[in-house]
Amino acid sequence: MARILLAGESWVSQATHYKGFDSFTSVTFHSGADDYIASLAREGITVEHRYAHDVPERFPADVGAMSAYDVIILSDIGANSFLLPQDTWLGGRPSTNRLKNLAEWVRGGGGLMMAGGYLSFQGFQARANFARSPIAEVLPVLMFDFDDRVEVPEGALPTLDAPDHAIGQAWQQGPPALLGYNRVLPKPEAQVVARVNGDVLIATGEEVDEILAG
């Protein structure tokens, strides 16, 4: 059974409430991964969810720690959360480059997945900033060096390029319309599984294909 670590896909919101002369603030926590984790649980797959606010301090620091997992998923969380732990950001001290280590782990056979989002790939105002990070070399797609969002409020239906691929075979129901996605380009060696509006939606590389096959 695959051991999966999901990093990101959560956020904390602060709201200010104005009631006449007075105002007050409230803080709420949100997880966007609950349905995804529950759907995998129905298939007997357990996902360890590392919330976004825990990533700077609790994401595996080295290849050895990452080797506890078969697949690591990054979802809607930018490069800074991996590159700026408190030792570096607050203490001004050197720390291990976890994205370099993550790339090394992938080259050693680990399965890396990046899901789209406002802080995925380059993301909103290019703040995710993975295009110039070490993991750019091990993803199956090429990223732009600018805001890569494509907003489609009218909805866009994905299409399968590779129905015989393991992901395509698991796509038993029709896909939902997407309201937005990150625009990327497939690397020559990538397998494009699905597209939306002619753009790459799902692409896999050698390591992911081996995990799905085995």
Side-chain angles (χ1 to χ4, degrees):
M1 185 63 65
R3 300 161 297 174
I4 299 176
L5 173 65
L6 168 62
E9 201 54 58
S10 71
W11 62 97
V12 175
S13 299
Q14 177 176 298
T16 302
H17 309 265
Y18 297 93
K19 297 190 175 184
F21 182 87
D22 296 300
S23 67
F24 64 93
T25 59
S26 63
V27 177
T28 52
F29 171 78
H30 310 268
S31 169
D34 293 347
D35 289 342
Y36 174 73
I37 293 172
S39 67
L40 288 182
R42 288 192 290 271
E43 302 297 325
I45 300 173
T46 300
V47 178
E48 181 181 334
H49 191 184
R50 194 66 43 87
Y51 294 133
H53 59 268
D54 286 326
V55 166
E57 294 303 305
R58 297 187 56 227
F59 186 82
D62 53 44
V63 173
M66 294 172 190
S67 296
Y69 306 97
D70 300 300
V71 178
I72 293 177
I73 303 171
L74 310 184
S75 184
D76 208 8
I77 183 168
N80 282 331
S81 292
F82 302 90
L83 297 173
L84 297 174
Q86 289 187 14
D87 270 353
T88 299
W89 174 244
L90 297 179
R93 294 182 292 272
S95 57
T96 186
N97 188 323
R98 289 177 290 182
L99 292 182
K100 278 187 177 179
N101 295 339
L102 183 57
E104 181 182 346
W105 174 78
V106 173
R107 293 188 184 99
L112 173 64
M113 171 183 165
M114 180 175 287
Y118 284 107
L119 280 173
S120 297
F121 300 101
Q122 281 298 90
F124 179 74
Q125 297 178 344
R127 292 187 181 189
N129 201 27
F130 282 106
R132 291 177 290 168
S133 77
I135 65 168
E137 297 180 3
V138 297
L139 289 173
V141 295
L142 296 170
M143 293 173 277
F144 297 100
D145 199 19
F146 48 79
D147 188 321
D148 59 12
R149 290 172 302 135
V150 178
E151 301 289 355
V152 279
E154 72 278 18
L157 280 175
T159 57
L160 276 175
D161 265 35
D164 293 333
H165 190 280
I167 295 175
Q169 292 176 358
W171 202 332
Q172 297 176 356
Q173 298 180 347
L178 300 181
L179 302 180
Y181 58 92
N182 301 84
R183 187 166 186 262
V184 294
L185 299 174
K187 291 180 179 177
E189 66 275 14
Q191 167 72 69
V192 177
V193 179
R195 296 180 186 269
V196 59
N197 282 348
D199 293 323
V200 176
L201 177 64
I202 301 174
T204 65
E206 179 180 354
E207 290 83 3
V208 172
D209 288 336
E210 288 177 352
I211 290 171
L212 289 169

